[in-house]
Amino acid sequence: MESVEVFTSEGKGRGLKAQKEFLPGDVIFAEPAYAAVVFDSLTHVICHTCFKRQERLHRCGQCKFAYYCDRTCQRAAWLNHKNECSAIKKHGKAPTENIRLAARIMWKIEREGSGLSEGCLVSIDDLQNHVDSFSEEEKKELRADIESFLEFWPPQSQQFGMQYISHIFGVINCNGFTLSDQRGLQAVGVGIFPNLCQANHDCWPNCTVIFNNGKIELRALSKISPGDELTVSYVDFLNVSEERRKQLKKQYYFDCTCEHCKKQIKDDLMLAAKAGESKPSAETVKEVIQFSKDTLEKINKARMEGLYHEVVKLCRECLKKQEPVLGDTNIYLLRILSIASEVLSYLQMFEEAADYAKRMVDGYLKIYHPNNAQLGMAVMRAGVTHWHAGLIEAGHGLICKAYAILLITHGPSHPITKDLEVMRVQTEMELRMFQQNEFMYYKMREAALKNQKIQVMPEPSNDTSPSLFHKKE
């Protein structure tokens, strides 16, 4: 942690600043979780130590609740699981993820005290809890959490005052970091990382955060000079500044004053209407945007019910309305294109999916920071879709572009980057074959597909890419 220091950031409270120069892709620091738990809905399919998704997991023979990859992960977990294991057996069942995380934090405090832990810049006691800013509904949920916690907490463990328990739940509420699976595609748990909590938000940040091999990594997205503040984005940039500010105020209790919000940078692109002679009226644009919002609600309902052909039908109808009216970078058009390409890929209708994916990526490239992780993942999906569609030239180009972005945002050792490198090599080989003899390439592709079905794309999910900080639903 000698490469960063905590300082008082004007108007923001504490922040982190660089002590030396960093270049894009550099790891500024890696931090293990102070405490972390798997989400309630995934406790039986995700390892409780390394947070990897595995087909077969070993269950704890004592509490019958915790699952692990193997004995190595189980032994590594024992220090943090020992008290939890005993408490779950006595309680009769495991409590919710928030209660489990609070209990793990307090058992660690019981073992080590609440002062500075090794490698931590701040203590748990010094983290912001924002309990005073809670709404009535949030206060009601807090009281319910405390009640559940006290029912679960063993009488023989160290007893904490109500105010301190409230502080811990407040810390979890506004500082709980989302943990993703090994490929970074699904949110699987929540953890507390005291050093990361010191990084302030900026809608156009100079750093990104990736969960890799059991630790979070703070990685540089652009050149950072000594003395520069290190910032991350708490929310997806793909929203107009007013919506991002509302989201940040509601979830994190502060007013964003970053340059992109103050100057509403890129808002014009995100709400763009068709230009030229047939420019639509403001009223027409408003009607189409409202139609898009209504359609997105219907799409979410159909996706929840697994009605993917209905989702495709709704997307096509919406695009028919949007295309003569909305600009190529309009976020409502881009959201429909994203859903359509994802669901069509799952249904193995790759050619139509590739067309939508290309248009989506073209829009994203004009809006996102060039080294944005979500941009990299979207470009990768588009590349794979083109590859499956037999559009090898475009597919290879997109996969190479995605690889360049993910080398910076995820680094070469991340599983998703390794997967992408394999795809890059494979598509490069296929592209050479295509350039040498196009007819033979398609014949060989056709024969290969007859002998081996194309791998089914993952089932579409309502989840967008995992957000930085986890908020209790």
Side-chain angles (χ1 to χ4, degrees), residues 299-341:
I299 285 170
N300 283 338
K301 187 172 182 293
R303 286 174 87 175
M304 292 288 282
E305 293 169 6
L307 303 172
Y308 298 124
H309 287 282
E310 178 63 18
V311 171
V312 171
K313 182 180 164 219
L314 287 165
C315 286
R316 285 172 180 156
E317 287 171 0
C318 194
L319 286 167
K320 203 171 177 182
K321 287 245 189 194
Q322 289 176 333
E323 282 162 351
V325 176
L326 304 183
D328 295 340
T329 56
N330 189 291
I331 52 174
Y332 294 99
L333 173 68
L334 294 175
R335 282 170 189 162
I336 297 292
L337 290 171
S338 173
I339 294 165
S341 63

mmCIF file of all heavy atoms in Angstrom, residues 299-341:
data_model
loop_
_atom_site.group_PDB
_atom_site.id
_atom_site.type_symbol
_atom_site.label_atom_id
_atom_site.label_comp_id
_atom_site.label_asym_id
_atom_site.label_seq_id
_atom_site.Cartn_x
_atom_site.Cartn_y
_atom_site.Cartn_z
ATOM 1 N N ILE A 299 -40.300 -6.473 -21.598
ATOM 2 C CA ILE A 299 -39.171 -7.378 -21.880
ATOM 3 C C ILE A 299 -38.670 -8.012 -20.591
ATOM 4 O O ILE A 299 -38.421 -9.225 -20.533
ATOM 5 C CB ILE A 299 -38.035 -6.613 -22.603
ATOM 6 C CG1 ILE A 299 -38.416 -6.355 -24.073
ATOM 7 C CG2 ILE A 299 -36.714 -7.370 -22.513
ATOM 8 C CD1 ILE A 299 -37.482 -5.408 -24.802
ATOM 9 N N ASN A 300 -38.515 -7.201 -19.537
ATOM 10 C CA ASN A 300 -38.038 -7.731 -18.255
ATOM 11 C C ASN A 300 -38.971 -8.812 -17.730
ATOM 12 O O ASN A 300 -38.519 -9.847 -17.219
ATOM 13 C CB ASN A 300 -37.907 -6.609 -17.218
ATOM 14 C CG ASN A 300 -36.671 -5.764 -17.445
ATOM 15 O OD1 ASN A 300 -35.726 -6.212 -18.080
ATOM 16 N ND2 ASN A 300 -36.676 -4.536 -16.962
ATOM 17 N N LYS A 301 -40.277 -8.591 -17.870
ATOM 18 C CA LYS A 301 -41.275 -9.571 -17.412
ATOM 19 C C LYS A 301 -41.137 -10.876 -18.225
ATOM 20 O O LYS A 301 -41.124 -11.972 -17.664
ATOM 21 C CB LYS A 301 -42.682 -8.983 -17.570
ATOM 22 C CG LYS A 301 -43.795 -9.829 -16.969
ATOM 23 C CD LYS A 301 -45.113 -9.060 -16.995
ATOM 24 C CE LYS A 301 -46.244 -9.872 -16.337
ATOM 25 N NZ LYS A 301 -46.617 -11.055 -17.068
ATOM 26 N N ALA A 302 -41.021 -10.733 -19.549
ATOM 27 C CA ALA A 302 -40.890 -11.914 -20.417
ATOM 28 C C ALA A 302 -39.596 -12.673 -20.133
ATOM 29 O O ALA A 302 -39.579 -13.911 -20.132
ATOM 30 C CB ALA A 302 -40.947 -11.482 -21.888
ATOM 31 N N ARG A 303 -38.509 -11.957 -19.856
ATOM 32 C CA ARG A 303 -37.230 -12.608 -19.544
ATOM 33 C C ARG A 303 -37.321 -13.376 -18.231
ATOM 34 O O ARG A 303 -36.786 -14.480 -18.105
ATOM 35 C CB ARG A 303 -36.107 -11.576 -19.458
ATOM 36 C CG ARG A 303 -35.672 -11.040 -20.807
ATOM 37 C CD ARG A 303 -34.682 -9.921 -20.661
ATOM 38 N NE ARG A 303 -33.324 -10.398 -20.557
ATOM 39 C CZ ARG A 303 -32.264 -9.599 -20.520
ATOM 40 N NH1 ARG A 303 -32.414 -8.298 -20.566
ATOM 41 N NH2 ARG A 303 -31.046 -10.078 -20.446
ATOM 42 N N MET A 304 -37.987 -12.781 -17.249
ATOM 43 C CA MET A 304 -38.154 -13.444 -15.953
ATOM 44 C C MET A 304 -38.891 -14.769 -16.115
ATOM 45 O O MET A 304 -38.642 -15.733 -15.398
ATOM 46 C CB MET A 304 -38.942 -12.541 -14.991
ATOM 47 C CG MET A 304 -38.207 -11.287 -14.562
ATOM 48 S SD MET A 304 -36.867 -11.582 -13.417
ATOM 49 C CE MET A 304 -37.757 -11.818 -11.905
ATOM 50 N N GLU A 305 -39.814 -14.807 -17.090
ATOM 51 C CA GLU A 305 -40.620 -16.012 -17.321
ATOM 52 C C GLU A 305 -39.974 -16.953 -18.347
ATOM 53 O O GLU A 305 -40.537 -18.003 -18.680
ATOM 54 C CB GLU A 305 -42.026 -15.602 -17.791
ATOM 55 C CG GLU A 305 -42.825 -14.868 -16.705
ATOM 56 C CD GLU A 305 -44.109 -14.235 -17.234
ATOM 57 O OE1 GLU A 305 -44.438 -14.474 -18.420
ATOM 58 O OE2 GLU A 305 -44.769 -13.507 -16.463
ATOM 59 N N GLY A 306 -38.809 -16.558 -18.874
ATOM 60 C CA GLY A 306 -38.094 -17.393 -19.839
ATOM 61 C C GLY A 306 -38.733 -17.428 -21.215
ATOM 62 O O GLY A 306 -38.483 -18.341 -22.007
ATOM 63 N N LEU A 307 -39.545 -16.395 -21.534
ATOM 64 C CA LEU A 307 -40.241 -16.345 -22.835
ATOM 65 C C LEU A 307 -39.368 -15.591 -23.847
ATOM 66 O O LEU A 307 -39.636 -14.443 -24.203
ATOM 67 C CB LEU A 307 -41.615 -15.654 -22.675
ATOM 68 C CG LEU A 307 -42.564 -16.298 -21.644
ATOM 69 C CD1 LEU A 307 -43.793 -15.436 -21.421
ATOM 70 C CD2 LEU A 307 -42.961 -17.695 -22.125
ATOM 71 N N TYR A 308 -38.301 -16.245 -24.310
ATOM 72 C CA TYR A 308 -37.293 -15.549 -25.110
ATOM 73 C C TYR A 308 -37.765 -15.198 -26.517
ATOM 74 O O TYR A 308 -37.350 -14.171 -27.058
ATOM 75 C CB TYR A 308 -35.999 -16.374 -25.141
ATOM 76 C CG TYR A 308 -35.421 -16.553 -23.759
ATOM 77 C CD1 TYR A 308 -35.165 -17.819 -23.233
ATOM 78 C CD2 TYR A 308 -35.164 -15.447 -22.950
ATOM 79 C CE1 TYR A 308 -34.661 -17.978 -21.945
ATOM 80 C CE2 TYR A 308 -34.664 -15.595 -21.667
ATOM 81 C CZ TYR A 308 -34.420 -16.858 -21.169
ATOM 82 O OH TYR A 308 -33.923 -16.988 -19.903
ATOM 83 N N HIS A 309 -38.640 -15.997 -27.105
ATOM 84 C CA HIS A 309 -39.178 -15.637 -28.428
ATOM 85 C C HIS A 309 -40.080 -14.397 -28.318
ATOM 86 O O HIS A 309 -40.108 -13.571 -29.224
ATOM 87 C CB HIS A 309 -39.939 -16.823 -29.041
ATOM 88 C CG HIS A 309 -39.022 -17.912 -29.523
ATOM 89 N ND1 HIS A 309 -38.323 -17.814 -30.708
ATOM 90 C CD2 HIS A 309 -38.658 -19.101 -28.956
ATOM 91 C CE1 HIS A 309 -37.578 -18.915 -30.862
ATOM 92 N NE2 HIS A 309 -37.758 -19.700 -29.815
ATOM 93 N N GLU A 310 -40.758 -14.269 -27.183
ATOM 94 C CA GLU A 310 -41.564 -13.065 -26.925
ATOM 95 C C GLU A 310 -40.651 -11.851 -26.765
ATOM 96 O O GLU A 310 -40.967 -10.750 -27.244
ATOM 97 C CB GLU A 310 -42.400 -13.274 -25.656
ATOM 98 C CG GLU A 310 -43.252 -12.091 -25.233
ATOM 99 C CD GLU A 310 -44.342 -11.698 -26.231
ATOM 100 O OE1 GLU A 310 -44.701 -12.521 -27.106
ATOM 101 O OE2 GLU A 310 -44.830 -10.554 -26.147
ATOM 102 N N VAL A 311 -39.504 -12.038 -26.114
ATOM 103 C CA VAL A 311 -38.523 -10.946 -25.963
ATOM 104 C C VAL A 311 -38.061 -10.468 -27.336
ATOM 105 O O VAL A 311 -38.008 -9.256 -27.607
ATOM 106 C CB VAL A 311 -37.307 -11.412 -25.122
ATOM 107 C CG1 VAL A 311 -36.201 -10.350 -25.149
ATOM 108 C CG2 VAL A 311 -37.723 -11.688 -23.686
ATOM 109 N N VAL A 312 -37.742 -11.405 -28.231
ATOM 110 C CA VAL A 312 -37.292 -11.054 -29.589
ATOM 111 C C VAL A 312 -38.374 -10.271 -30.328
ATOM 112 O O VAL A 312 -38.095 -9.256 -30.969
ATOM 113 C CB VAL A 312 -36.896 -12.327 -30.376
ATOM 114 C CG1 VAL A 312 -36.635 -12.002 -31.842
ATOM 115 C CG2 VAL A 312 -35.647 -12.966 -29.760
ATOM 116 N N LYS A 313 -39.609 -10.732 -30.192
ATOM 117 C CA LYS A 313 -40.739 -10.055 -30.862
ATOM 118 C C LYS A 313 -40.875 -8.616 -30.352
ATOM 119 O O LYS A 313 -41.026 -7.669 -31.143
ATOM 120 C CB LYS A 313 -42.026 -10.843 -30.578
ATOM 121 C CG LYS A 313 -43.267 -10.271 -31.265
ATOM 122 C CD LYS A 313 -44.506 -11.129 -30.934
ATOM 123 C CE LYS A 313 -45.752 -10.354 -31.285
ATOM 124 N NZ LYS A 313 -46.828 -10.523 -30.326
ATOM 125 N N LEU A 314 -40.791 -8.444 -29.030
ATOM 126 C CA LEU A 314 -40.895 -7.096 -28.436
ATOM 127 C C LEU A 314 -39.741 -6.203 -28.896
ATOM 128 O O LEU A 314 -39.944 -5.015 -29.184
ATOM 129 C CB LEU A 314 -40.896 -7.204 -26.909
ATOM 130 C CG LEU A 314 -42.179 -7.751 -26.261
ATOM 131 C CD1 LEU A 314 -41.922 -8.150 -24.809
ATOM 132 C CD2 LEU A 314 -43.299 -6.721 -26.336
ATOM 133 N N CYS A 315 -38.530 -6.758 -28.969
ATOM 134 C CA CYS A 315 -37.354 -5.995 -29.420
ATOM 135 C C CYS A 315 -37.530 -5.538 -30.870
ATOM 136 O O CYS A 315 -37.257 -4.380 -31.194
ATOM 137 C CB CYS A 315 -36.083 -6.822 -29.277
ATOM 138 S SG CYS A 315 -35.499 -7.026 -27.585
ATOM 139 N N ARG A 316 -37.964 -6.440 -31.729
ATOM 140 C CA ARG A 316 -38.142 -6.094 -33.150
ATOM 141 C C ARG A 316 -39.182 -4.996 -33.318
ATOM 142 O O ARG A 316 -38.999 -4.057 -34.103
ATOM 143 C CB ARG A 316 -38.547 -7.340 -33.943
ATOM 144 C CG ARG A 316 -37.399 -8.328 -34.189
ATOM 145 C CD ARG A 316 -37.918 -9.611 -34.792
ATOM 146 N NE ARG A 316 -36.870 -10.585 -35.054
ATOM 147 C CZ ARG A 316 -37.078 -11.895 -35.144
ATOM 148 N NH1 ARG A 316 -38.302 -12.391 -34.973
ATOM 149 N NH2 ARG A 316 -36.072 -12.711 -35.404
ATOM 150 N N GLU A 317 -40.293 -5.106 -32.571
ATOM 151 C CA GLU A 317 -41.350 -4.080 -32.650
ATOM 152 C C GLU A 317 -40.827 -2.724 -32.182
ATOM 153 O O GLU A 317 -41.113 -1.684 -32.783
ATOM 154 C CB GLU A 317 -42.549 -4.495 -31.788
ATOM 155 C CG GLU A 317 -43.380 -5.620 -32.375
ATOM 156 C CD GLU A 317 -44.427 -6.145 -31.388
ATOM 157 O OE1 GLU A 317 -44.506 -5.624 -30.244
ATOM 158 O OE2 GLU A 317 -45.167 -7.081 -31.762
ATOM 159 N N CYS A 318 -40.047 -2.763 -31.100
ATOM 160 C CA CYS A 318 -39.517 -1.517 -30.542
ATOM 161 C C CYS A 318 -38.501 -0.888 -31.501
ATOM 162 O O CYS A 318 -38.520 0.329 -31.724
ATOM 163 C CB CYS A 318 -38.873 -1.786 -29.187
ATOM 164 S SG CYS A 318 -38.539 -0.288 -28.244
ATOM 165 N N LEU A 319 -37.623 -1.707 -32.082
ATOM 166 C CA LEU A 319 -36.615 -1.191 -33.018
ATOM 167 C C LEU A 319 -37.269 -0.557 -34.246
ATOM 168 O O LEU A 319 -36.786 0.450 -34.769
ATOM 169 C CB LEU A 319 -35.667 -2.319 -33.445
ATOM 170 C CG LEU A 319 -34.659 -2.763 -32.372
ATOM 171 C CD1 LEU A 319 -33.993 -4.076 -32.750
ATOM 172 C CD2 LEU A 319 -33.599 -1.683 -32.145
ATOM 173 N N LYS A 320 -38.390 -1.132 -34.677
ATOM 174 C CA LYS A 320 -39.123 -0.581 -35.821
ATOM 175 C C LYS A 320 -39.596 0.841 -35.537
ATOM 176 O O LYS A 320 -39.578 1.709 -36.407
ATOM 177 C CB LYS A 320 -40.323 -1.496 -36.123
ATOM 178 C CG LYS A 320 -40.838 -1.396 -37.552
ATOM 179 C CD LYS A 320 -41.866 -2.486 -37.809
ATOM 180 C CE LYS A 320 -42.444 -2.346 -39.214
ATOM 181 N NZ LYS A 320 -43.476 -3.385 -39.456
ATOM 182 N N LYS A 321 -39.995 1.078 -34.280
ATOM 183 C CA LYS A 321 -40.435 2.422 -33.865
ATOM 184 C C LYS A 321 -39.240 3.349 -33.646
ATOM 185 O O LYS A 321 -39.299 4.544 -33.942
ATOM 186 C CB LYS A 321 -41.216 2.319 -32.545
ATOM 187 C CG LYS A 321 -42.602 1.726 -32.692
ATOM 188 C CD LYS A 321 -43.649 2.768 -32.350
ATOM 189 C CE LYS A 321 -45.029 2.141 -32.281
ATOM 190 N NZ LYS A 321 -46.074 3.178 -32.275
ATOM 191 N N GLN A 322 -38.158 2.792 -33.097
ATOM 192 C CA GLN A 322 -37.005 3.614 -32.719
ATOM 193 C C GLN A 322 -36.179 4.082 -33.921
ATOM 194 O O GLN A 322 -35.725 5.231 -33.951
ATOM 195 C CB GLN A 322 -36.085 2.825 -31.775
ATOM 196 C CG GLN A 322 -36.637 2.605 -30.385
ATOM 197 C CD GLN A 322 -35.702 1.745 -29.548
ATOM 198 O OE1 GLN A 322 -34.945 0.920 -30.078
ATOM 199 N NE2 GLN A 322 -35.730 1.914 -28.237
ATOM 200 N N GLU A 323 -35.965 3.188 -34.889
ATOM 201 C CA GLU A 323 -34.985 3.443 -35.946
ATOM 202 C C GLU A 323 -35.223 4.718 -36.754
ATOM 203 O O GLU A 323 -34.258 5.414 -37.089
ATOM 204 C CB GLU A 323 -34.859 2.209 -36.848
ATOM 205 C CG GLU A 323 -33.996 1.133 -36.175
ATOM 206 C CD GLU A 323 -34.171 -0.256 -36.765
ATOM 207 O OE1 GLU A 323 -35.088 -0.457 -37.600
ATOM 208 O OE2 GLU A 323 -33.400 -1.155 -36.391
ATOM 209 N N PRO A 324 -36.467 5.101 -37.094
ATOM 210 C CA PRO A 324 -36.639 6.352 -37.843
ATOM 211 C C PRO A 324 -36.528 7.611 -36.980
ATOM 212 O O PRO A 324 -36.485 8.719 -37.501
ATOM 213 C CB PRO A 324 -38.073 6.239 -38.408
ATOM 214 C CG PRO A 324 -38.581 4.898 -38.030
ATOM 215 C CD PRO A 324 -37.754 4.412 -36.906
ATOM 216 N N VAL A 325 -36.474 7.409 -35.630
ATOM 217 C CA VAL A 325 -36.598 8.561 -34.720
ATOM 218 C C VAL A 325 -35.339 8.801 -33.870
ATOM 219 O O VAL A 325 -34.890 9.939 -33.716
ATOM 220 C CB VAL A 325 -37.827 8.365 -33.791
ATOM 221 C CG1 VAL A 325 -37.929 9.489 -32.762
ATOM 222 C CG2 VAL A 325 -39.107 8.276 -34.618
ATOM 223 N N LEU A 326 -34.758 7.740 -33.314
ATOM 224 C CA LEU A 326 -33.646 7.895 -32.372
ATOM 225 C C LEU A 326 -32.293 7.775 -33.060
ATOM 226 O O LEU A 326 -32.121 7.010 -34.005
ATOM 227 C CB LEU A 326 -33.742 6.839 -31.261
ATOM 228 C CG LEU A 326 -35.054 6.803 -30.458
ATOM 229 C CD1 LEU A 326 -34.963 5.762 -29.342
ATOM 230 C CD2 LEU A 326 -35.405 8.168 -29.878
ATOM 231 N N GLY A 327 -31.324 8.547 -32.533
ATOM 232 C CA GLY A 327 -29.959 8.517 -33.073
ATOM 233 C C GLY A 327 -29.250 7.219 -32.707
ATOM 234 O O GLY A 327 -29.664 6.493 -31.799
ATOM 235 N N ASP A 328 -28.137 6.946 -33.387
ATOM 236 C CA ASP A 328 -27.407 5.680 -33.207
ATOM 237 C C ASP A 328 -26.796 5.513 -31.819
ATOM 238 O O ASP A 328 -26.426 4.413 -31.433
ATOM 239 C CB ASP A 328 -26.281 5.568 -34.251
ATOM 240 C CG ASP A 328 -26.839 5.477 -35.669
ATOM 241 O OD1 ASP A 328 -28.025 5.115 -35.811
ATOM 242 O OD2 ASP A 328 -26.083 5.757 -36.615
ATOM 243 N N THR A 329 -26.670 6.619 -31.067
ATOM 244 C CA THR A 329 -26.074 6.548 -29.727
ATOM 245 C C THR A 329 -27.126 6.715 -28.632
ATOM 246 O O THR A 329 -26.774 6.806 -27.447
ATOM 247 C CB THR A 329 -25.002 7.642 -29.547
ATOM 248 O OG1 THR A 329 -25.612 8.914 -29.825
ATOM 249 C CG2 THR A 329 -23.812 7.428 -30.465
ATOM 250 N N ASN A 330 -28.392 6.777 -28.993
ATOM 251 C CA ASN A 330 -29.439 6.947 -27.984
ATOM 252 C C ASN A 330 -29.477 5.725 -27.068
ATOM 253 O O ASN A 330 -29.522 4.589 -27.527
ATOM 254 C CB ASN A 330 -30.795 7.139 -28.671
ATOM 255 C CG ASN A 330 -31.883 7.536 -27.692
ATOM 256 O OD1 ASN A 330 -32.297 6.745 -26.854
ATOM 257 N ND2 ASN A 330 -32.339 8.782 -27.808
ATOM 258 N N ILE A 331 -29.463 5.961 -25.747
ATOM 259 C CA ILE A 331 -29.341 4.840 -24.801
ATOM 260 C C ILE A 331 -30.544 3.895 -24.855
ATOM 261 O O ILE A 331 -30.394 2.705 -24.565
ATOM 262 C CB ILE A 331 -29.107 5.328 -23.351
ATOM 263 C CG1 ILE A 331 -30.144 6.365 -22.919
ATOM 264 C CG2 ILE A 331 -27.703 5.838 -23.170
ATOM 265 C CD1 ILE A 331 -30.029 6.763 -21.450
ATOM 266 N N TYR A 332 -31.720 4.392 -25.248
ATOM 267 C CA TYR A 332 -32.891 3.505 -25.312
ATOM 268 C C TYR A 332 -32.781 2.566 -26.507
ATOM 269 O O TYR A 332 -33.146 1.387 -26.413
ATOM 270 C CB TYR A 332 -34.177 4.326 -25.346
ATOM 271 C CG TYR A 332 -34.382 5.071 -24.051
ATOM 272 C CD1 TYR A 332 -34.044 6.423 -23.934
ATOM 273 C CD2 TYR A 332 -34.839 4.407 -22.913
ATOM 274 C CE1 TYR A 332 -34.188 7.097 -22.727
ATOM 275 C CE2 TYR A 332 -34.979 5.070 -21.700
ATOM 276 C CZ TYR A 332 -34.655 6.412 -21.612
ATOM 277 O OH TYR A 332 -34.780 7.061 -20.412
ATOM 278 N N LEU A 333 -32.228 3.057 -27.602
ATOM 279 C CA LEU A 333 -31.960 2.202 -28.759
ATOM 280 C C LEU A 333 -30.879 1.179 -28.401
ATOM 281 O O LEU A 333 -31.013 -0.017 -28.684
ATOM 282 C CB LEU A 333 -31.506 3.058 -29.949
ATOM 283 C CG LEU A 333 -31.020 2.292 -31.189
ATOM 284 C CD1 LEU A 333 -32.181 1.546 -31.851
ATOM 285 C CD2 LEU A 333 -30.362 3.225 -32.196
ATOM 286 N N LEU A 334 -29.814 1.639 -27.726
ATOM 287 C CA LEU A 334 -28.700 0.752 -27.386
ATOM 288 C C LEU A 334 -29.134 -0.352 -26.416
ATOM 289 O O LEU A 334 -28.674 -1.487 -26.515
ATOM 290 C CB LEU A 334 -27.541 1.552 -26.784
ATOM 291 C CG LEU A 334 -26.854 2.548 -27.732
ATOM 292 C CD1 LEU A 334 -25.799 3.366 -26.994
ATOM 293 C CD2 LEU A 334 -26.225 1.827 -28.920
ATOM 294 N N ARG A 335 -30.052 -0.024 -25.496
ATOM 295 C CA ARG A 335 -30.529 -1.042 -24.546
ATOM 296 C C ARG A 335 -31.306 -2.143 -25.263
ATOM 297 O O ARG A 335 -31.156 -3.323 -24.943
ATOM 298 C CB ARG A 335 -31.401 -0.380 -23.466
ATOM 299 C CG ARG A 335 -30.573 0.330 -22.416
ATOM 300 C CD ARG A 335 -31.392 1.191 -21.489
ATOM 301 N NE ARG A 335 -30.510 2.009 -20.651
ATOM 302 C CZ ARG A 335 -30.888 3.088 -20.002
ATOM 303 N NH1 ARG A 335 -32.137 3.517 -20.084
ATOM 304 N NH2 ARG A 335 -30.033 3.770 -19.271
ATOM 305 N N ILE A 336 -32.132 -1.756 -26.220
ATOM 306 C CA ILE A 336 -32.901 -2.753 -26.981
ATOM 307 C C ILE A 336 -31.960 -3.583 -27.857
ATOM 308 O O ILE A 336 -32.098 -4.814 -27.940
ATOM 309 C CB ILE A 336 -33.998 -2.077 -27.839
ATOM 310 C CG1 ILE A 336 -35.020 -1.352 -26.944
ATOM 311 C CG2 ILE A 336 -34.697 -3.092 -28.740
ATOM 312 C CD1 ILE A 336 -35.878 -2.255 -26.088
ATOM 313 N N LEU A 337 -30.985 -2.941 -28.494
ATOM 314 C CA LEU A 337 -30.017 -3.669 -29.325
ATOM 315 C C LEU A 337 -29.239 -4.683 -28.486
ATOM 316 O O LEU A 337 -28.987 -5.810 -28.929
ATOM 317 C CB LEU A 337 -29.040 -2.691 -29.993
ATOM 318 C CG LEU A 337 -29.614 -1.803 -31.105
ATOM 319 C CD1 LEU A 337 -28.586 -0.740 -31.508
ATOM 320 C CD2 LEU A 337 -30.013 -2.638 -32.326
ATOM 321 N N SER A 338 -28.862 -4.284 -27.266
ATOM 322 C CA SER A 338 -28.107 -5.168 -26.380
ATOM 323 C C SER A 338 -28.923 -6.409 -26.017
ATOM 324 O O SER A 338 -28.436 -7.543 -26.103
ATOM 325 C CB SER A 338 -27.714 -4.407 -25.106
ATOM 326 O OG SER A 338 -27.123 -5.279 -24.172
ATOM 327 N N ILE A 339 -30.170 -6.204 -25.614
ATOM 328 C CA ILE A 339 -31.040 -7.331 -25.234
ATOM 329 C C ILE A 339 -31.295 -8.226 -26.443
ATOM 330 O O ILE A 339 -31.209 -9.464 -26.347
ATOM 331 C CB ILE A 339 -32.374 -6.811 -24.649
ATOM 332 C CG1 ILE A 339 -32.132 -6.077 -23.325
ATOM 333 C CG2 ILE A 339 -33.368 -7.968 -24.452
ATOM 334 C CD1 ILE A 339 -33.299 -5.227 -22.855
ATOM 335 N N ALA A 340 -31.612 -7.603 -27.594
ATOM 336 C CA ALA A 340 -31.917 -8.380 -28.805
ATOM 337 C C ALA A 340 -30.736 -9.257 -29.207
ATOM 338 O O ALA A 340 -30.900 -10.448 -29.499
ATOM 339 C CB ALA A 340 -32.288 -7.440 -29.946
ATOM 340 N N SER A 341 -29.521 -8.698 -29.190
ATOM 341 C CA SER A 341 -28.346 -9.477 -29.616
ATOM 342 C C SER A 341 -28.067 -10.613 -28.641
ATOM 343 O O SER A 341 -27.736 -11.727 -29.046
ATOM 344 C CB SER A 341 -27.116 -8.570 -29.757
ATOM 345 O OG SER A 341 -26.760 -7.992 -28.515
#
